[in-house]
């Protein structure tokens, strides 16, 4: 089992940047494929980005491609999401997730953090 704790959320103006972190503990972080998902009020949880256990392979939702960058540091057991050129529609609770298999579906991930709120003002 792996425990995940997100941090780095907050209030930012449109066009600004934030960097989210997800600290992992428990079983070997480097053996898990990782992802970021988000859930806006009244909406379903949606895929944002994912990264393979090695960090070599990444994938992004079309809505964030070119603005967000997912990365990981296996030595520090930490996952990151660099978010640039933020838009009001990026406002959501952001969750990191770990899975034995890489998935863009929330149901395909095995472990979840409790989330961190990102609010982008216009």
């Amino acid at each position: 089992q792996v425990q995940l704790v997100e941090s780095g959320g907050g209030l930012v103006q449109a066009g600004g940047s934030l960097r989210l972190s997800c600290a992992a503990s428990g079983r070997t972080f480097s053996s898990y494929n990782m992802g970021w998902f988000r859930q806006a009020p009244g909406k379903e949880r949606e895929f944002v980005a994912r990264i393979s256990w090695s960090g070599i392979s990444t994938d992004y939702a079309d809505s964030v491609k070119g603005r967000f960058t997912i990365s990981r540091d296996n030595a520090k057991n930490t996952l990151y999401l660099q978010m640039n050129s933020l838009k009001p529609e990026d406002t959501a609770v952001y969750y990191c997730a770990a899975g034995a298999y890489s998935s863009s579906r929330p149901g395909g991930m095995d472990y979840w953090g409790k989330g961190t709120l990102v609010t982008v003002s216009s």
Side-chain angles (χ1 to χ4, degrees), residues 38-84:
R38 67 187 182 186
Q39 189 166 15
K43 295 188 176 181
E44 294 186 350
R45 193 167 298 188
E46 65 175 6
F47 166 71
V48 174
R50 57 179 169 167
I51 188 167
S52 61
W53 63 269
S54 64
I56 293 176
S57 177
T58 59
D59 183 32
Y60 298 90
D62 288 343
S63 59
V64 306
K65 202 169 292 183
R67 301 188 297 122
F68 291 11
T69 302
I70 189 171
S71 61
R72 66 190 298 164
D73 186 336
N74 286 343
K76 295 183 178 180
N77 287 355
T78 304
L79 175 73
Y80 303 99
L81 185 68
Q82 178 67 44
M83 305 186 295
N84 298 329

Side-chain angles (χ1 to χ4, degrees), residues 110-121:
D110 301 314
Y111 303 104
W112 292 85
K114 294 185 177 180
T116 185
L117 177 63
V118 172
T119 303
V120 184
S121 63

